[in-house]
Amino acid sequence: MSTLRTRATMRVLATFEALFAASAVYGGISLIVGAPGFPMPVEWLAPLGLTSWVLPGIALALGIGGTLAWASVFAWRADLRAPAAALAACGVLTGWLAIQFGVIGVRAPVQWVTVGLLAVLLGLALLARHRPATS
């Protein structure tokens, strides 16, 4: 495997993770402030005992956005730990979606878009595992 292909794979992984992280942070902030386009009924949160979307917004921005941003740093540096970090981000996102589907059910198309993005991230992480990074 060529160094050029390895670096290209890592750059694609890093770019995807960074954009995904930015969208999670944007979504989280939008939930916190109740931005237009993000008005979700508080009743959906009744099983959690929450009365606003602030805590879920913080969890989305920090938990998902932070994990993806952390993983993107490894990929940008072409660090050997980049694939493992991407797989860890996949695990966190899978947990987030499982809790979301369990608590509020399937309510919005963005949930299925997120499942699709998770699949892409998993594919990129597995591809990166087969292309060891070089210094």
Side-chain angles (χ1 to χ4, degrees):
M1 284 169 260
S2 73
T3 302
L4 182 59
R5 287 185 71 181
T6 299
R7 290 198 181 279
T9 299
M10 289 296 184
R11 291 297 182 238
V12 169
L13 177 61
T15 301
F16 184 81
E17 289 168 333
L19 291 172
F20 203 173
S23 71
V25 170
Y26 174 79
I29 292 169
S30 295
L31 285 175
I32 292 166
V33 301
F38 285 82
M40 291 189 264
V42 176
E43 297 80 40
W44 291 357
L45 299 175
L48 297 174
L50 298 176
T51 58
S52 79
W53 284 93
V54 171
L55 286 178
I58 292 170
L60 177 58
L62 297 179
I64 304 304
T67 302
L68 287 162
W70 167 76
S72 73
V73 170
F74 285 105
W76 277 116
R77 294 175 49 204
D79 191 298
L80 289 173
R81 298 170 287 185
L87 290 172
C90 285
V92 170
L93 185 55
T94 299
W96 171 266
L97 288 170
I99 292 168
Q100 187 180 104
F101 288 156
V103 172
I104 70 171
V106 179
R107 304 267 186 170
V110 71
Q111 292 172 299
W112 292 113
V113 170
T114 305
V115 169
L117 293 173
L118 172 61
V120 171
L121 179 59
L122 178 60
L124 289 171
L126 294 175
L127 180 63
R129 283 181 57 181
H130 298 300
R131 301 190 190 289
T134 57
S135 300

mmCIF file with all atom_site columns, all heavy atoms in Angstrom, residues 41-59:
data_model
loop_
_atom_site.group_PDB
_atom_site.id
_atom_site.type_symbol
_atom_site.label_atom_id
_atom_site.label_alt_id
_atom_site.label_comp_id
_atom_site.label_asym_id
_atom_site.label_entity_id
_atom_site.label_seq_id
_atom_site.pdbx_PDB_ins_code
_atom_site.Cartn_x
_atom_site.Cartn_y
_atom_site.Cartn_z
_atom_site.occupancy
_atom_site.B_iso_or_equiv
_atom_site.pdbx_formal_charge
_atom_site.auth_seq_id
_atom_site.auth_comp_id
_atom_site.auth_asym_id
_atom_site.auth_atom_id
_atom_site.pdbx_PDB_model_num
ATOM 1   N N   . PRO A 1 41 ? -40.993 18.601 20.141 1.00 0.00 ? 41 PRO A N   1
ATOM 2   C CA  . PRO A 1 41 ? -41.838 18.589 21.341 1.00 0.00 ? 41 PRO A CA  1
ATOM 3   C C   . PRO A 1 41 ? -41.096 18.057 22.566 1.00 0.00 ? 41 PRO A C   1
ATOM 4   O O   . PRO A 1 41 ? -40.412 17.039 22.506 1.00 0.00 ? 41 PRO A O   1
ATOM 5   C CB  . PRO A 1 41 ? -42.981 17.642 20.973 1.00 0.00 ? 41 PRO A CB  1
ATOM 6   C CG  . PRO A 1 41 ? -42.943 17.515 19.489 1.00 0.00 ? 41 PRO A CG  1
ATOM 7   C CD  . PRO A 1 41 ? -41.529 17.764 19.078 1.00 0.00 ? 41 PRO A CD  1
ATOM 8   N N   . VAL A 1 42 ? -41.233 18.748 23.662 1.00 0.00 ? 42 VAL A N   1
ATOM 9   C CA  . VAL A 1 42 ? -40.615 18.335 24.919 1.00 0.00 ? 42 VAL A CA  1
ATOM 10  C C   . VAL A 1 42 ? -41.228 17.019 25.405 1.00 0.00 ? 42 VAL A C   1
ATOM 11  O O   . VAL A 1 42 ? -40.577 16.258 26.108 1.00 0.00 ? 42 VAL A O   1
ATOM 12  C CB  . VAL A 1 42 ? -40.745 19.461 25.974 1.00 0.00 ? 42 VAL A CB  1
ATOM 13  C CG1 . VAL A 1 42 ? -40.207 19.022 27.321 1.00 0.00 ? 42 VAL A CG1 1
ATOM 14  C CG2 . VAL A 1 42 ? -40.032 20.704 25.507 1.00 0.00 ? 42 VAL A CG2 1
ATOM 15  N N   . GLU A 1 43 ? -42.457 16.736 24.979 1.00 0.00 ? 43 GLU A N   1
ATOM 16  C CA  . GLU A 1 43 ? -43.117 15.492 25.384 1.00 0.00 ? 43 GLU A CA  1
ATOM 17  C C   . GLU A 1 43 ? -42.310 14.261 25.003 1.00 0.00 ? 43 GLU A C   1
ATOM 18  O O   . GLU A 1 43 ? -42.401 13.218 25.643 1.00 0.00 ? 43 GLU A O   1
ATOM 19  C CB  . GLU A 1 43 ? -44.521 15.396 24.752 1.00 0.00 ? 43 GLU A CB  1
ATOM 20  C CG  . GLU A 1 43 ? -45.485 16.471 25.193 1.00 0.00 ? 43 GLU A CG  1
ATOM 21  C CD  . GLU A 1 43 ? -45.269 17.789 24.450 1.00 0.00 ? 43 GLU A CD  1
ATOM 22  O OE1 . GLU A 1 43 ? -45.009 17.793 23.229 1.00 0.00 ? 43 GLU A OE1 1
ATOM 23  O OE2 . GLU A 1 43 ? -45.351 18.840 25.120 1.00 0.00 ? 43 GLU A OE2 1
ATOM 24  N N   . TRP A 1 44 ? -41.525 14.363 23.932 1.00 0.00 ? 44 TRP A N   1
ATOM 25  C CA  . TRP A 1 44 ? -40.691 13.230 23.512 1.00 0.00 ? 44 TRP A CA  1
ATOM 26  C C   . TRP A 1 44 ? -39.698 12.851 24.608 1.00 0.00 ? 44 TRP A C   1
ATOM 27  O O   . TRP A 1 44 ? -39.237 11.717 24.672 1.00 0.00 ? 44 TRP A O   1
ATOM 28  C CB  . TRP A 1 44 ? -39.936 13.561 22.239 1.00 0.00 ? 44 TRP A CB  1
ATOM 29  C CG  . TRP A 1 44 ? -40.779 13.698 21.016 1.00 0.00 ? 44 TRP A CG  1
ATOM 30  C CD1 . TRP A 1 44 ? -42.128 13.516 20.894 1.00 0.00 ? 44 TRP A CD1 1
ATOM 31  C CD2 . TRP A 1 44 ? -40.317 14.061 19.720 1.00 0.00 ? 44 TRP A CD2 1
ATOM 32  N NE1 . TRP A 1 44 ? -42.535 13.744 19.605 1.00 0.00 ? 44 TRP A NE1 1
ATOM 33  C CE2 . TRP A 1 44 ? -41.434 14.085 18.859 1.00 0.00 ? 44 TRP A CE2 1
ATOM 34  C CE3 . TRP A 1 44 ? -39.073 14.373 19.192 1.00 0.00 ? 44 TRP A CE3 1
ATOM 35  C CZ2 . TRP A 1 44 ? -41.346 14.395 17.505 1.00 0.00 ? 44 TRP A CZ2 1
ATOM 36  C CZ3 . TRP A 1 44 ? -38.985 14.690 17.839 1.00 0.00 ? 44 TRP A CZ3 1
ATOM 37  C CH2 . TRP A 1 44 ? -40.112 14.696 17.019 1.00 0.00 ? 44 TRP A CH2 1
ATOM 38  N N   . LEU A 1 45 ? -39.348 13.807 25.458 1.00 0.00 ? 45 LEU A N   1
ATOM 39  C CA  . LEU A 1 45 ? -38.348 13.583 26.496 1.00 0.00 ? 45 LEU A CA  1
ATOM 40  C C   . LEU A 1 45 ? -38.952 13.096 27.811 1.00 0.00 ? 45 LEU A C   1
ATOM 41  O O   . LEU A 1 45 ? -38.224 12.866 28.779 1.00 0.00 ? 45 LEU A O   1
ATOM 42  C CB  . LEU A 1 45 ? -37.560 14.867 26.748 1.00 0.00 ? 45 LEU A CB  1
ATOM 43  C CG  . LEU A 1 45 ? -36.788 15.417 25.550 1.00 0.00 ? 45 LEU A CG  1
ATOM 44  C CD1 . LEU A 1 45 ? -36.161 16.749 25.905 1.00 0.00 ? 45 LEU A CD1 1
ATOM 45  C CD2 . LEU A 1 45 ? -35.745 14.427 25.080 1.00 0.00 ? 45 LEU A CD2 1
ATOM 46  N N   . ALA A 1 46 ? -40.263 12.928 27.858 1.00 0.00 ? 46 ALA A N   1
ATOM 47  C CA  . ALA A 1 46 ? -40.945 12.514 29.087 1.00 0.00 ? 46 ALA A CA  1
ATOM 48  C C   . ALA A 1 46 ? -40.333 11.258 29.719 1.00 0.00 ? 46 ALA A C   1
ATOM 49  O O   . ALA A 1 46 ? -40.163 11.218 30.948 1.00 0.00 ? 46 ALA A O   1
ATOM 50  C CB  . ALA A 1 46 ? -42.434 12.310 28.835 1.00 0.00 ? 46 ALA A CB  1
ATOM 51  N N   . PRO A 1 47 ? -39.953 10.235 28.941 1.00 0.00 ? 47 PRO A N   1
ATOM 52  C CA  . PRO A 1 47 ? -39.359 9.046  29.578 1.00 0.00 ? 47 PRO A CA  1
ATOM 53  C C   . PRO A 1 47 ? -38.063 9.339  30.339 1.00 0.00 ? 47 PRO A C   1
ATOM 54  O O   . PRO A 1 47 ? -37.678 8.588  31.224 1.00 0.00 ? 47 PRO A O   1
ATOM 55  C CB  . PRO A 1 47 ? -39.092 8.103  28.405 1.00 0.00 ? 47 PRO A CB  1
ATOM 56  C CG  . PRO A 1 47 ? -40.035 8.533  27.338 1.00 0.00 ? 47 PRO A CG  1
ATOM 57  C CD  . PRO A 1 47 ? -40.182 10.019 27.515 1.00 0.00 ? 47 PRO A CD  1
ATOM 58  N N   . LEU A 1 48 ? -37.408 10.425 29.982 1.00 0.00 ? 48 LEU A N   1
ATOM 59  C CA  . LEU A 1 48 ? -36.162 10.800 30.663 1.00 0.00 ? 48 LEU A CA  1
ATOM 60  C C   . LEU A 1 48 ? -36.397 11.779 31.802 1.00 0.00 ? 48 LEU A C   1
ATOM 61  O O   . LEU A 1 48 ? -35.470 12.116 32.532 1.00 0.00 ? 48 LEU A O   1
ATOM 62  C CB  . LEU A 1 48 ? -35.180 11.421 29.659 1.00 0.00 ? 48 LEU A CB  1
ATOM 63  C CG  . LEU A 1 48 ? -34.711 10.516 28.523 1.00 0.00 ? 48 LEU A CG  1
ATOM 64  C CD1 . LEU A 1 48 ? -33.861 11.309 27.543 1.00 0.00 ? 48 LEU A CD1 1
ATOM 65  C CD2 . LEU A 1 48 ? -33.953 9.330  29.069 1.00 0.00 ? 48 LEU A CD2 1
ATOM 66  N N   . GLY A 1 49 ? -37.614 12.280 31.930 1.00 0.00 ? 49 GLY A N   1
ATOM 67  C CA  . GLY A 1 49 ? -37.917 13.255 32.972 1.00 0.00 ? 49 GLY A CA  1
ATOM 68  C C   . GLY A 1 49 ? -37.377 14.645 32.680 1.00 0.00 ? 49 GLY A C   1
ATOM 69  O O   . GLY A 1 49 ? -37.242 15.463 33.587 1.00 0.00 ? 49 GLY A O   1
ATOM 70  N N   . LEU A 1 50 ? -37.054 14.928 31.429 1.00 0.00 ? 50 LEU A N   1
ATOM 71  C CA  . LEU A 1 50 ? -36.518 16.243 31.060 1.00 0.00 ? 50 LEU A CA  1
ATOM 72  C C   . LEU A 1 50 ? -37.637 17.165 30.607 1.00 0.00 ? 50 LEU A C   1
ATOM 73  O O   . LEU A 1 50 ? -38.634 16.717 30.038 1.00 0.00 ? 50 LEU A O   1
ATOM 74  C CB  . LEU A 1 50 ? -35.482 16.097 29.940 1.00 0.00 ? 50 LEU A CB  1
ATOM 75  C CG  . LEU A 1 50 ? -34.247 15.266 30.276 1.00 0.00 ? 50 LEU A CG  1
ATOM 76  C CD1 . LEU A 1 50 ? -33.360 15.118 29.057 1.00 0.00 ? 50 LEU A CD1 1
ATOM 77  C CD2 . LEU A 1 50 ? -33.469 15.892 31.414 1.00 0.00 ? 50 LEU A CD2 1
ATOM 78  N N   . THR A 1 51 ? -37.457 18.455 30.837 1.00 0.00 ? 51 THR A N   1
ATOM 79  C CA  . THR A 1 51 ? -38.466 19.434 30.455 1.00 0.00 ? 51 THR A CA  1
ATOM 80  C C   . THR A 1 51 ? -37.973 20.396 29.379 1.00 0.00 ? 51 THR A C   1
ATOM 81  O O   . THR A 1 51 ? -38.663 21.352 29.041 1.00 0.00 ? 51 THR A O   1
ATOM 82  C CB  . THR A 1 51 ? -38.915 20.241 31.685 1.00 0.00 ? 51 THR A CB  1
ATOM 83  O OG1 . THR A 1 51 ? -37.777 20.882 32.259 1.00 0.00 ? 51 THR A OG1 1
ATOM 84  C CG2 . THR A 1 51 ? -39.589 19.334 32.712 1.00 0.00 ? 51 THR A CG2 1
ATOM 85  N N   . SER A 1 52 ? -36.775 20.159 28.870 1.00 0.00 ? 52 SER A N   1
ATOM 86  C CA  . SER A 1 52 ? -36.255 20.976 27.771 1.00 0.00 ? 52 SER A CA  1
ATOM 87  C C   . SER A 1 52 ? -35.233 20.145 26.997 1.00 0.00 ? 52 SER A C   1
ATOM 88  O O   . SER A 1 52 ? -34.804 19.083 27.438 1.00 0.00 ? 52 SER A O   1
ATOM 89  C CB  . SER A 1 52 ? -35.595 22.257 28.285 1.00 0.00 ? 52 SER A CB  1
ATOM 90  O OG  . SER A 1 52 ? -34.294 22.005 28.763 1.00 0.00 ? 52 SER A OG  1
ATOM 91  N N   . TRP A 1 53 ? -34.841 20.693 25.857 1.00 0.00 ? 53 TRP A N   1
ATOM 92  C CA  . TRP A 1 53 ? -33.865 20.018 24.992 1.00 0.00 ? 53 TRP A CA  1
ATOM 93  C C   . TRP A 1 53 ? -32.432 20.474 25.292 1.00 0.00 ? 53 TRP A C   1
ATOM 94  O O   . TRP A 1 53 ? -31.516 20.126 24.548 1.00 0.00 ? 53 TRP A O   1
ATOM 95  C CB  . TRP A 1 53 ? -34.226 20.290 23.537 1.00 0.00 ? 53 TRP A CB  1
ATOM 96  C CG  . TRP A 1 53 ? -35.398 19.480 23.100 1.00 0.00 ? 53 TRP A CG  1
ATOM 97  C CD1 . TRP A 1 53 ? -36.708 19.848 23.121 1.00 0.00 ? 53 TRP A CD1 1
ATOM 98  C CD2 . TRP A 1 53 ? -35.363 18.141 22.606 1.00 0.00 ? 53 TRP A CD2 1
ATOM 99  N NE1 . TRP A 1 53 ? -37.491 18.823 22.666 1.00 0.00 ? 53 TRP A NE1 1
ATOM 100 C CE2 . TRP A 1 53 ? -36.697 17.761 22.336 1.00 0.00 ? 53 TRP A CE2 1
ATOM 101 C CE3 . TRP A 1 53 ? -34.347 17.225 22.360 1.00 0.00 ? 53 TRP A CE3 1
ATOM 102 C CZ2 . TRP A 1 53 ? -37.032 16.506 21.838 1.00 0.00 ? 53 TRP A CZ2 1
ATOM 103 C CZ3 . TRP A 1 53 ? -34.681 15.980 21.854 1.00 0.00 ? 53 TRP A CZ3 1
ATOM 104 C CH2 . TRP A 1 53 ? -36.005 15.627 21.607 1.00 0.00 ? 53 TRP A CH2 1
ATOM 105 N N   . VAL A 1 54 ? -32.232 21.208 26.377 1.00 0.00 ? 54 VAL A N   1
ATOM 106 C CA  . VAL A 1 54 ? -30.896 21.723 26.682 1.00 0.00 ? 54 VAL A CA  1
ATOM 107 C C   . VAL A 1 54 ? -29.908 20.585 26.963 1.00 0.00 ? 54 VAL A C   1
ATOM 108 O O   . VAL A 1 54 ? -28.826 20.540 26.362 1.00 0.00 ? 54 VAL A O   1
ATOM 109 C CB  . VAL A 1 54 ? -30.944 22.732 27.853 1.00 0.00 ? 54 VAL A CB  1
ATOM 110 C CG1 . VAL A 1 54 ? -29.543 23.096 28.313 1.00 0.00 ? 54 VAL A CG1 1
ATOM 111 C CG2 . VAL A 1 54 ? -31.711 23.981 27.438 1.00 0.00 ? 54 VAL A CG2 1
ATOM 112 N N   . LEU A 1 55 ? -30.237 19.684 27.855 1.00 0.00 ? 55 LEU A N   1
ATOM 113 C CA  . LEU A 1 55 ? -29.300 18.585 28.163 1.00 0.00 ? 55 LEU A CA  1
ATOM 114 C C   . LEU A 1 55 ? -29.042 17.682 26.962 1.00 0.00 ? 55 LEU A C   1
ATOM 115 O O   . LEU A 1 55 ? -27.884 17.333 26.702 1.00 0.00 ? 55 LEU A O   1
ATOM 116 C CB  . LEU A 1 55 ? -29.784 17.785 29.365 1.00 0.00 ? 55 LEU A CB  1
ATOM 117 C CG  . LEU A 1 55 ? -29.621 18.481 30.719 1.00 0.00 ? 55 LEU A CG  1
ATOM 118 C CD1 . LEU A 1 55 ? -30.176 17.611 31.846 1.00 0.00 ? 55 LEU A CD1 1
ATOM 119 C CD2 . LEU A 1 55 ? -28.169 18.829 30.983 1.00 0.00 ? 55 LEU A CD2 1
ATOM 120 N N   . PRO A 1 56 ? -30.063 17.288 26.194 1.00 0.00 ? 56 PRO A N   1
ATOM 121 C CA  . PRO A 1 56 ? -29.765 16.516 24.989 1.00 0.00 ? 56 PRO A CA  1
ATOM 122 C C   . PRO A 1 56 ? -28.890 17.295 24.004 1.00 0.00 ? 56 PRO A C   1
ATOM 123 O O   . PRO A 1 56 ? -28.020 16.723 23.348 1.00 0.00 ? 56 PRO A O   1
ATOM 124 C CB  . PRO A 1 56 ? -31.146 16.217 24.394 1.00 0.00 ? 56 PRO A CB  1
ATOM 125 C CG  . PRO A 1 56 ? -32.064 16.234 25.567 1.00 0.00 ? 56 PRO A CG  1
ATOM 126 C CD  . PRO A 1 56 ? -31.509 17.322 26.460 1.00 0.00 ? 56 PRO A CD  1
ATOM 127 N N   . GLY A 1 57 ? -29.097 18.612 23.928 1.00 0.00 ? 57 GLY A N   1
ATOM 128 C CA  . GLY A 1 57 ? -28.265 19.434 23.047 1.00 0.00 ? 57 GLY A CA  1
ATOM 129 C C   . GLY A 1 57 ? -26.816 19.458 23.490 1.00 0.00 ? 57 GLY A C   1
ATOM 130 O O   . GLY A 1 57 ? -25.895 19.352 22.678 1.00 0.00 ? 57 GLY A O   1
ATOM 131 N N   . ILE A 1 58 ? -26.611 19.589 24.791 1.00 0.00 ? 58 ILE A N   1
ATOM 132 C CA  . ILE A 1 58 ? -25.244 19.565 25.327 1.00 0.00 ? 58 ILE A CA  1
ATOM 133 C C   . ILE A 1 58 ? -24.603 18.205 25.072 1.00 0.00 ? 58 ILE A C   1
ATOM 134 O O   . ILE A 1 58 ? -23.441 18.115 24.655 1.00 0.00 ? 58 ILE A O   1
ATOM 135 C CB  . ILE A 1 58 ? -25.245 19.902 26.833 1.00 0.00 ? 58 ILE A CB  1
ATOM 136 C CG1 . ILE A 1 58 ? -25.638 21.368 27.045 1.00 0.00 ? 58 ILE A CG1 1
ATOM 137 C CG2 . ILE A 1 58 ? -23.892 19.601 27.470 1.00 0.00 ? 58 ILE A CG2 1
ATOM 138 C CD1 . ILE A 1 58 ? -25.913 21.743 28.494 1.00 0.00 ? 58 ILE A CD1 1
ATOM 139 N N   . ALA A 1 59 ? -25.364 17.140 25.289 1.00 0.00 ? 59 ALA A N   1
ATOM 140 C CA  . ALA A 1 59 ? -24.843 15.786 25.062 1.00 0.00 ? 59 ALA A CA  1
ATOM 141 C C   . ALA A 1 59 ? -24.491 15.576 23.592 1.00 0.00 ? 59 ALA A C   1
ATOM 142 O O   . ALA A 1 59 ? -23.463 14.966 23.275 1.00 0.00 ? 59 ALA A O   1
ATOM 143 C CB  . ALA A 1 59 ? -25.867 14.751 25.520 1.00 0.00 ? 59 ALA A CB  1
#
